[in-house]
Amino acid sequence: MFPRVIALLLSLTWVAPLMAAENGQAPLQVAQAPSLFNANGASPTTQTFEIRDQHVKVPTIDLTVAPDDLWERIRRGFSMPDLNTDLVTDRQIYYINRPAALRQIFSRGQRYLYYIVDELERRGMPTELALLPMVESAFNPMALSSAQASGLWQFVPSTGKSYRLEQNWWVDERRDVVASTNAALDYLQYIYEMHGDWHLALASYNWGEGAVGRAVAKNRAAGQPTEYQFLNMPGETRYYVPKLQALKNIVAQPELFGITLPAIPNRPYFATVESRVPLDLATAARLAETPVEEILALNPGYKRPVLPTNGTQSLIIPADRVDTFLSNLEKHDPASASWKTYELQEGEALEGVADRLGISASRLRQVNGLSPRARIGTGYTLIVPSESEGERITLTNMLPTKPQAGAIEPPTFIVQRTVVRGRNGKPTVIERKVPVSSPPIKPFSSTHSKSDTSSAKDKDQAKEAPHGKQAKGKSTDRQGEKAAPEKPSSKDKSASSTKEKAPDKEKASEKSQGKEKAAGKDKSSDSKAEGSHKSDKKDSADKKDGGSKSKDAKDSSSKEKKHH
């Protein structure tokens, strides 16, 4: 029984101070149980130990209430695994040492961030991806890379077409905020499902999913880790994810880096309206009572100051200006627009239209992206600006980057081709480029049936070619091929007329010269002209043997290599 009493006393000694502390009667402490007798037989002593509070209060977030600040909404959606490498630290130092550039990026992004975040949350994707346009284009929708990647999300022409982003004379949806964002998120979802890792998906977005897949397979075969930071990749891709991680860290804790983020309300910045009334961007800005620069920043997909006239037109305007725009649109007179379109009639020339409309021909060519040597024909649509001050858009990014299909640029040179027979008896084509002086500009009429046919072919080929430059180059080559026989034809006539008057000795000498050509000894243009009387027969033989076709095939294959 005596041991039980001792145990009871010990328990009361521990419990009593705790109960008193809970009731607020005594400080939280623990008293060590006294021994009945110490070594010296003196009265027992009591030692008190302080217990510190080990529980840290964690602030809770009510996810059912939407935050007022868009940055806070973005932080709540962070769900990618963090990347902690030296390259991330390097990029953080890079950004915080350029506060002006960082402020400009955040300032441009406030127009587009709400829509991007809204789409990401709707798809269940990490909101870190809303910061990806900062890495790609610094939130500049007009950004264009050396690889012809364009827009906020930097789509190259071929990938843009794969994701149904329209690219023509009027619009380039790679620059359109809504269309390009939807296409980019579709692509990111696709490559994430392919790799199952967001870091690898981002690397694929920059480098290509095939290249990343091969790098992963190579590491797996060598028994090495297959995570992003362990892959062998180009320098740009190696810095790609660290850039995004550095921006994520800055947005997550801006005060830690001495950065002040601009306040972005958590509400839509813009809205899309539809209009069946022909509009230009300057008129739309006036109807919305908004600066023209703001309308251009929200509608960067339009390549012309005049909106397309085929069907309903979509226009993005600030959300707080929708009611004002619709109200003013009801009172708008379409005849008061500052930009109009004019379709060339039969027999009309650009110079005559410019004189009649009271605008200089050089200004009209500049607005329509036409060089001084370009020729246009019946049915070509011209954009005509108004001369009234305050209504003209003079921003360079709204001027045409290339003319619409139907404008024919004369070639800067023609190609002369001479067919000779080599030592093995097979025909060989010798080419020589001859520069062409600028011909006088002549208006097209309906009698130019050949030029109309070539322009129609140019249209079809421009649709197939992903790059405008490539389509233009092909049409120039085609014109060069057509123009090639023209110059030798005059030589043929002069040569044949002189040869008819020549005696038999000259004919014999010409035969010997033809034999020298067959041996490959012809090096001068004069000898080409002298031997051109046999070109017709040799051209027919060349068609049978496929010599010229093989040459054209080589030309086309070299163009394809350049494109890829």
Side-chain angles (χ1 to χ4, degrees), residues 175-226:
R175 300 191 319 216
D176 185 89
V177 178
V178 175
S180 66
T181 296
N182 293 334
L185 299 189
D186 287 343
Y187 182 40
L188 285 166
Q189 280 184 316
Y190 165 72
I191 53 183
Y192 171 71
E193 292 172 359
M194 175 185 294
H195 297 294
D197 181 274
W198 276 115
H199 291 165
L200 295 180
L202 290 169
S204 299
Y205 192 90
N206 177 258
W207 190 20
E209 57 268 27
V212 172
R214 288 189 294 271
V216 170
K218 184 177 179 180
N219 275 27
R220 185 179 292 114
Q224 297 177 356
T226 58

Short mmCIF file of all heavy atoms in Angstrom, two decimals, residues 175-226:
data_model
loop_
_atom_site.label_atom_id
_atom_site.label_comp_id
_atom_site.label_asym_id
_atom_site.label_seq_id
_atom_site.Cartn_x
_atom_site.Cartn_y
_atom_site.Cartn_z
N ARG A 175 -0.75 36.96 -82.43
CA ARG A 175 -0.67 38.16 -81.61
C ARG A 175 -1.98 38.45 -80.89
O ARG A 175 -2.02 39.31 -80.01
CB ARG A 175 -0.28 39.36 -82.47
CG ARG A 175 1.05 39.18 -83.15
CD ARG A 175 1.58 40.43 -83.80
NE ARG A 175 0.64 41.26 -84.51
CZ ARG A 175 0.91 41.93 -85.63
NH1 ARG A 175 2.11 41.81 -86.17
NH2 ARG A 175 0.02 42.69 -86.20
N ASP A 176 -3.05 37.77 -81.27
CA ASP A 176 -4.34 37.99 -80.62
C ASP A 176 -4.30 37.42 -79.20
O ASP A 176 -3.89 36.28 -78.98
CB ASP A 176 -5.45 37.30 -81.43
CG ASP A 176 -6.82 37.60 -80.87
OD1 ASP A 176 -7.44 38.58 -81.26
OD2 ASP A 176 -7.27 36.81 -80.00
N VAL A 177 -4.72 38.21 -78.23
CA VAL A 177 -4.59 37.82 -76.82
C VAL A 177 -5.44 36.59 -76.51
O VAL A 177 -4.96 35.61 -75.92
CB VAL A 177 -4.99 39.01 -75.90
CG1 VAL A 177 -4.89 38.58 -74.44
CG2 VAL A 177 -4.10 40.21 -76.17
N VAL A 178 -6.69 36.62 -76.90
CA VAL A 178 -7.60 35.52 -76.57
C VAL A 178 -7.24 34.26 -77.34
O VAL A 178 -7.10 33.17 -76.76
CB VAL A 178 -9.06 35.95 -76.86
CG1 VAL A 178 -10.01 34.78 -76.64
CG2 VAL A 178 -9.45 37.13 -75.97
N ALA A 179 -7.08 34.36 -78.65
CA ALA A 179 -6.81 33.17 -79.47
C ALA A 179 -5.48 32.54 -79.12
O ALA A 179 -5.37 31.32 -78.99
CB ALA A 179 -6.85 33.55 -80.95
N SER A 180 -4.43 33.35 -78.96
CA SER A 180 -3.11 32.78 -78.67
C SER A 180 -3.04 32.17 -77.28
O SER A 180 -2.36 31.16 -77.07
CB SER A 180 -2.04 33.86 -78.83
OG SER A 180 -2.18 34.87 -77.85
N THR A 181 -3.74 32.75 -76.31
CA THR A 181 -3.75 32.18 -74.96
C THR A 181 -4.40 30.81 -74.95
O THR A 181 -3.89 29.86 -74.35
CB THR A 181 -4.47 33.13 -73.99
OG1 THR A 181 -3.75 34.36 -73.90
CG2 THR A 181 -4.57 32.52 -72.60
N ASN A 182 -5.53 30.69 -75.63
CA ASN A 182 -6.20 29.38 -75.69
C ASN A 182 -5.33 28.35 -76.39
O ASN A 182 -5.24 27.19 -75.96
CB ASN A 182 -7.54 29.53 -76.41
CG ASN A 182 -8.54 30.35 -75.62
OD1 ASN A 182 -8.45 30.42 -74.39
ND2 ASN A 182 -9.46 30.99 -76.30
N ALA A 183 -4.65 28.75 -77.47
CA ALA A 183 -3.78 27.82 -78.18
C ALA A 183 -2.58 27.43 -77.32
O ALA A 183 -2.18 26.25 -77.30
CB ALA A 183 -3.31 28.45 -79.49
N ALA A 184 -2.00 28.38 -76.61
CA ALA A 184 -0.82 28.08 -75.77
C ALA A 184 -1.19 27.13 -74.64
O ALA A 184 -0.43 26.19 -74.33
CB ALA A 184 -0.25 29.37 -75.21
N LEU A 185 -2.34 27.33 -74.02
CA LEU A 185 -2.74 26.45 -72.92
C LEU A 185 -3.10 25.06 -73.44
O LEU A 185 -2.85 24.05 -72.76
CB LEU A 185 -3.92 27.06 -72.15
CG LEU A 185 -3.64 28.42 -71.49
CD1 LEU A 185 -4.79 28.82 -70.58
CD2 LEU A 185 -2.33 28.41 -70.72
N ASP A 186 -3.67 24.98 -74.64
CA ASP A 186 -3.90 23.67 -75.26
C ASP A 186 -2.58 22.93 -75.46
O ASP A 186 -2.46 21.73 -75.18
CB ASP A 186 -4.62 23.83 -76.60
CG ASP A 186 -6.08 24.22 -76.44
OD1 ASP A 186 -6.62 24.05 -75.33
OD2 ASP A 186 -6.67 24.71 -77.42
N TYR A 187 -1.60 23.65 -75.96
CA TYR A 187 -0.30 23.04 -76.23
C TYR A 187 0.40 22.62 -74.93
O TYR A 187 0.98 21.53 -74.84
CB TYR A 187 0.56 24.04 -77.00
CG TYR A 187 1.91 23.52 -77.40
CD1 TYR A 187 2.08 22.21 -77.85
CD2 TYR A 187 3.04 24.32 -77.34
CE1 TYR A 187 3.32 21.74 -78.23
CE2 TYR A 187 4.29 23.85 -77.72
CZ TYR A 187 4.43 22.56 -78.15
OH TYR A 187 5.65 22.08 -78.51
N LEU A 188 0.32 23.46 -73.90
CA LEU A 188 0.94 23.12 -72.61
C LEU A 188 0.28 21.90 -71.98
O LEU A 188 0.96 21.06 -71.38
CB LEU A 188 0.88 24.32 -71.67
CG LEU A 188 1.85 25.47 -71.98
CD1 LEU A 188 1.47 26.73 -71.21
CD2 LEU A 188 3.28 25.05 -71.65
N GLN A 189 -1.03 21.81 -72.09
CA GLN A 189 -1.72 20.62 -71.58
C GLN A 189 -1.27 19.36 -72.31
O GLN A 189 -1.06 18.31 -71.70
CB GLN A 189 -3.24 20.80 -71.71
CG GLN A 189 -3.86 21.65 -70.62
CD GLN A 189 -5.37 21.71 -70.75
OE1 GLN A 189 -5.91 21.89 -71.84
NE2 GLN A 189 -6.08 21.57 -69.65
N TYR A 190 -1.11 19.49 -73.62
CA TYR A 190 -0.70 18.34 -74.43
C TYR A 190 0.69 17.84 -74.04
O TYR A 190 0.89 16.64 -73.83
CB TYR A 190 -0.75 18.74 -75.91
CG TYR A 190 -0.04 17.78 -76.82
CD1 TYR A 190 -0.56 16.52 -77.10
CD2 TYR A 190 1.17 18.14 -77.43
CE1 TYR A 190 0.10 15.65 -77.94
CE2 TYR A 190 1.82 17.27 -78.28
CZ TYR A 190 1.29 16.02 -78.53
OH TYR A 190 1.95 15.16 -79.36
N ILE A 191 1.65 18.74 -73.91
CA ILE A 191 3.01 18.29 -73.60
C ILE A 191 3.14 17.89 -72.13
O ILE A 191 4.01 17.08 -71.78
CB ILE A 191 4.05 19.37 -73.98
CG1 ILE A 191 3.71 20.71 -73.37
CG2 ILE A 191 4.18 19.47 -75.47
CD1 ILE A 191 4.66 21.84 -73.78
N TYR A 192 2.27 18.42 -71.25
CA TYR A 192 2.31 17.95 -69.86
C TYR A 192 1.80 16.51 -69.77
O TYR A 192 2.37 15.67 -69.05
CB TYR A 192 1.47 18.85 -68.96
CG TYR A 192 1.29 18.29 -67.56
CD1 TYR A 192 2.36 18.25 -66.67
CD2 TYR A 192 0.06 17.77 -67.15
CE1 TYR A 192 2.21 17.72 -65.39
CE2 TYR A 192 -0.09 17.25 -65.88
CZ TYR A 192 0.98 17.22 -65.01
OH TYR A 192 0.82 16.70 -63.75
N GLU A 193 0.74 16.21 -70.50
CA GLU A 193 0.23 14.85 -70.51
C GLU A 193 1.23 13.89 -71.16
O GLU A 193 1.27 12.70 -70.83
CB GLU A 193 -1.11 14.80 -71.26
CG GLU A 193 -2.23 15.52 -70.53
CD GLU A 193 -3.49 15.64 -71.37
OE1 GLU A 193 -3.46 15.16 -72.52
OE2 GLU A 193 -4.47 16.22 -70.89
N MET A 194 2.07 14.40 -72.05
CA MET A 194 3.08 13.57 -72.68
C MET A 194 4.18 13.19 -71.70
O MET A 194 4.60 12.03 -71.63
CB MET A 194 3.68 14.31 -73.88
CG MET A 194 4.83 13.60 -74.56
SD MET A 194 5.58 14.60 -75.86
CE MET A 194 4.23 14.67 -77.02
N HIS A 195 4.67 14.16 -70.90
CA HIS A 195 5.80 13.92 -70.01
C HIS A 195 5.39 13.66 -68.56
O HIS A 195 6.16 13.05 -67.81
CB HIS A 195 6.75 15.12 -70.04
CG HIS A 195 7.38 15.37 -71.38
ND1 HIS A 195 8.27 14.49 -71.97
CD2 HIS A 195 7.24 16.40 -72.26
CE1 HIS A 195 8.66 14.97 -73.13
NE2 HIS A 195 8.04 16.12 -73.35
N GLY A 196 4.22 14.16 -68.15
CA GLY A 196 3.80 13.98 -66.77
C GLY A 196 4.60 14.83 -65.79
O GLY A 196 4.61 14.54 -64.58
N ASP A 197 5.26 15.87 -66.25
CA ASP A 197 6.09 16.72 -65.40
C ASP A 197 6.06 18.13 -65.98
O ASP A 197 6.30 18.32 -67.17
CB ASP A 197 7.53 16.18 -65.36
CG ASP A 197 8.44 17.01 -64.48
OD1 ASP A 197 8.99 18.01 -64.97
OD2 ASP A 197 8.60 16.66 -63.29
N TRP A 198 5.77 19.11 -65.11
CA TRP A 198 5.61 20.47 -65.61
C TRP A 198 6.95 21.08 -66.05
O TRP A 198 7.01 21.86 -66.99
CB TRP A 198 4.95 21.36 -64.57
CG TRP A 198 3.46 21.27 -64.59
CD1 TRP A 198 2.64 20.78 -63.62
CD2 TRP A 198 2.60 21.66 -65.68
NE1 TRP A 198 1.33 20.84 -64.03
CE2 TRP A 198 1.28 21.38 -65.28
CE3 TRP A 198 2.83 22.21 -66.93
CZ2 TRP A 198 0.19 21.65 -66.10
CZ3 TRP A 198 1.74 22.47 -67.76
CH2 TRP A 198 0.44 22.19 -67.35
N HIS A 199 8.03 20.73 -65.37
CA HIS A 199 9.33 21.26 -65.79
C HIS A 199 9.72 20.72 -67.16
O HIS A 199 10.24 21.47 -68.01
CB HIS A 199 10.40 20.91 -64.75
CG HIS A 199 10.22 21.63 -63.45
ND1 HIS A 199 10.86 21.26 -62.28
CD2 HIS A 199 9.47 22.71 -63.13
CE1 HIS A 199 10.51 22.08 -61.31
NE2 HIS A 199 9.67 22.96 -61.79
N LEU A 200 9.46 19.46 -67.40
CA LEU A 200 9.73 18.90 -68.73
C LEU A 200 8.79 19.47 -69.78
O LEU A 200 9.17 19.66 -70.94
CB LEU A 200 9.63 17.38 -68.69
CG LEU A 200 10.66 16.64 -67.83
CD1 LEU A 200 10.42 15.14 -67.89
CD2 LEU A 200 12.08 16.98 -68.27
N ALA A 201 7.55 19.76 -69.37
CA ALA A 201 6.60 20.36 -70.31
C ALA A 201 7.06 21.76 -70.71
O ALA A 201 6.98 22.15 -71.88
CB ALA A 201 5.21 20.42 -69.68
N LEU A 202 7.58 22.53 -69.75
CA LEU A 202 8.07 23.87 -70.07
C LEU A 202 9.31 23.79 -70.96
O LEU A 202 9.48 24.61 -71.88
CB LEU A 202 8.39 24.62 -68.77
CG LEU A 202 7.18 25.04 -67.93
CD1 LEU A 202 7.62 25.52 -66.57
CD2 LEU A 202 6.38 26.12 -68.64
N ALA A 203 10.18 22.83 -70.67
CA ALA A 203 11.35 22.64 -71.54
C ALA A 203 10.91 22.28 -72.95
O ALA A 203 11.51 22.74 -73.94
CB ALA A 203 12.26 21.57 -70.96
N SER A 204 9.86 21.48 -73.08
CA SER A 204 9.34 21.11 -74.40
C SER A 204 8.75 22.32 -75.11
O SER A 204 8.84 22.44 -76.33
CB SER A 204 8.27 20.03 -74.26
OG SER A 204 8.81 18.86 -73.68
N TYR A 205 8.13 23.22 -74.35
CA TYR A 205 7.56 24.42 -74.95
C TYR A 205 8.64 25.27 -75.59
O TYR A 205 8.43 25.91 -76.62
CB TYR A 205 6.82 25.22 -73.88
CG TYR A 205 5.95 26.33 -74.42
CD1 TYR A 205 4.62 26.11 -74.74
CD2 TYR A 205 6.45 27.62 -74.61
CE1 TYR A 205 3.82 27.12 -75.25
CE2 TYR A 205 5.66 28.63 -75.11
CZ TYR A 205 4.35 28.38 -75.42
OH TYR A 205 3.57 29.39 -75.93
N ASN A 206 9.82 25.27 -74.98
CA ASN A 206 10.93 26.06 -75.51
C ASN A 206 11.78 25.31 -76.52
O ASN A 206 12.20 25.88 -77.53
CB ASN A 206 11.81 26.53 -74.34
CG ASN A 206 13.02 27.30 -74.79
OD1 ASN A 206 14.14 26.78 -74.84
ND2 ASN A 206 12.83 28.56 -75.15
N TRP A 207 12.02 24.03 -76.26
CA TRP A 207 12.98 23.26 -77.06
C TRP A 207 12.30 22.32 -78.04
O TRP A 207 12.87 21.95 -79.07
CB TRP A 207 13.88 22.49 -76.09
CG TRP A 207 15.07 21.83 -76.71
CD1 TRP A 207 15.68 22.11 -77.90
CD2 TRP A 207 15.83 20.76 -76.14
NE1 TRP A 207 16.75 21.30 -78.11
CE2 TRP A 207 16.88 20.45 -77.04
CE3 TRP A 207 15.74 20.04 -74.95
CZ2 TRP A 207 17.80 19.45 -76.78
CZ3 TRP A 207 16.67 19.05 -74.69
CH2 TRP A 207 17.69 18.76 -75.60
N GLY A 208 11.08 21.89 -77.74
CA GLY A 208 10.37 20.91 -78.55
C GLY A 208 10.21 19.61 -77.79
O GLY A 208 11.16 19.13 -77.15
N GLU A 209 9.00 19.04 -77.87
CA GLU A 209 8.74 17.82 -77.10
C GLU A 209 9.58 16.65 -77.56
O GLU A 209 9.96 15.78 -76.77
CB GLU A 209 7.24 17.47 -77.14
CG GLU A 209 6.67 17.27 -78.53
CD GLU A 209 6.09 18.53 -79.12
OE1 GLU A 209 6.54 19.62 -78.75
OE2 GLU A 209 5.19 18.41 -79.97
N GLY A 210 9.88 16.60 -78.86
CA GLY A 210 10.71 15.51 -79.37
C GLY A 210 12.13 15.57 -78.82
O GLY A 210 12.69 14.55 -78.43
N ALA A 211 12.71 16.77 -78.79
CA ALA A 211 14.07 16.91 -78.28
C ALA A 211 14.14 16.57 -76.80
O ALA A 211 15.08 15.90 -76.34
CB ALA A 211 14.56 18.34 -78.51
N VAL A 212 13.15 17.00 -76.03
CA VAL A 212 13.13 16.67 -74.60
C VAL A 212 12.95 15.18 -74.40
O VAL A 212 13.60 14.57 -73.53
CB VAL A 212 12.02 17.47 -73.89
CG1 VAL A 212 11.86 17.01 -72.44
CG2 VAL A 212 12.33 18.96 -73.92
N GLY A 213 12.08 14.57 -75.19
CA GLY A 213 11.88 13.12 -75.08
C GLY A 213 13.16 12.35 -75.35
O GLY A 213 13.47 11.37 -74.65
N ARG A 214 13.92 12.77 -76.34
CA ARG A 214 15.19 12.09 -76.64
C ARG A 214 16.21 12.30 -75.52
O ARG A 214 16.97 11.39 -75.18
CB ARG A 214 15.74 12.60 -77.97
CG ARG A 214 14.96 12.12 -79.18
CD ARG A 214 15.68 12.47 -80.46
NE ARG A 214 15.73 13.91 -80.69
CZ ARG A 214 14.79 14.60 -81.32
NH1 ARG A 214 13.70 13.98 -81.78
NH2 ARG A 214 14.92 15.90 -81.51
N ALA A 215 16.25 13.50 -74.95
CA ALA A 215 17.18 13.76 -73.85
C ALA A 215 16.84 12.92 -72.62
O ALA A 215 17.73 12.39 -71.93
CB ALA A 215 17.16 15.24 -73.49
N VAL A 216 15.54 12.76 -72.35
CA VAL A 216 15.11 11.92 -71.22
C VAL A 216 15.48 10.46 -71.47
O VAL A 216 15.99 9.77 -70.58
CB VAL A 216 13.60 12.08 -70.98
CG1 VAL A 216 13.09 11.04 -69.99
CG2 VAL A 216 13.28 13.48 -70.47
N ALA A 217 15.23 10.00 -72.68
CA ALA A 217 15.56 8.60 -73.01
C ALA A 217 17.06 8.36 -72.92
O ALA A 217 17.50 7.28 -72.47
CB ALA A 217 15.05 8.27 -74.41
N LYS A 218 17.85 9.32 -73.32
CA LYS A 218 19.31 9.18 -73.25
C LYS A 218 19.77 9.07 -71.80
O LYS A 218 20.62 8.22 -71.47
CB LYS A 218 19.97 10.37 -73.93
CG LYS A 218 21.49 10.28 -74.00
CD LYS A 218 22.06 11.48 -74.75
CE LYS A 218 23.58 11.40 -74.81
NZ LYS A 218 24.15 12.57 -75.54
N ASN A 219 19.23 9.89 -70.91
CA ASN A 219 19.61 9.81 -69.49
C ASN A 219 19.14 8.50 -68.88
O ASN A 219 19.85 7.90 -68.06
CB ASN A 219 19.03 10.99 -68.72
CG ASN A 219 19.90 12.23 -68.81
OD1 ASN A 219 20.63 12.40 -69.77
ND2 ASN A 219 19.83 13.08 -67.80
N ARG A 220 17.95 8.07 -69.26
CA ARG A 220 17.42 6.82 -68.69
C ARG A 220 18.28 5.64 -69.12
O ARG A 220 18.56 4.73 -68.32
CB ARG A 220 15.97 6.63 -69.14
CG ARG A 220 15.30 5.41 -68.49
CD ARG A 220 13.86 5.25 -68.94
NE ARG A 220 13.03 6.33 -68.43
CZ ARG A 220 12.45 7.24 -69.18
NH1 ARG A 220 12.63 7.24 -70.50
NH2 ARG A 220 11.70 8.18 -68.65
N ALA A 221 18.70 5.64 -70.37
CA ALA A 221 19.54 4.55 -70.85
C ALA A 221 20.90 4.54 -70.18
O ALA A 221 21.50 3.47 -69.98
CB ALA A 221 19.71 4.65 -72.38
N ALA A 222 21.40 5.72 -69.78
CA ALA A 222 22.70 5.80 -69.11
C ALA A 222 22.59 5.64 -67.60
O ALA A 222 23.61 5.75 -66.90
CB ALA A 222 23.37 7.13 -69.44
N GLY A 223 21.37 5.41 -67.10
CA GLY A 223 21.18 5.24 -65.66
C GLY A 223 21.28 6.54 -64.89
O GLY A 223 21.55 6.52 -63.67
N GLN A 224 21.04 7.67 -65.56
CA GLN A 224 21.13 8.97 -64.90
C GLN A 224 19.73 9.51 -64.61
O GLN A 224 18.75 9.06 -65.22
CB GLN A 224 21.89 9.95 -65.81
CG GLN A 224 23.33 9.54 -66.06
CD GLN A 224 24.01 10.51 -67.03
OE1 GLN A 224 23.40 11.43 -67.54
NE2 GLN A 224 25.30 10.27 -67.27
N PRO A 225 19.60 10.50 -63.70
CA PRO A 225 18.28 11.06 -63.40
C PRO A 225 17.68 11.72 -64.64
O PRO A 225 18.39 12.26 -65.49
CB PRO A 225 18.58 12.11 -62.31
CG PRO A 225 19.89 11.70 -61.73
CD PRO A 225 20.66 11.05 -62.83
N THR A 226 16.37 11.67 -64.70
CA THR A 226 15.67 12.20 -65.88
C THR A 226 14.93 13.50 -65.58
O THR A 226 14.11 13.94 -66.38
CB THR A 226 14.66 11.15 -66.41
OG1 THR A 226 13.74 10.82 -65.35
CG2 THR A 226 15.37 9.91 -66.89
#
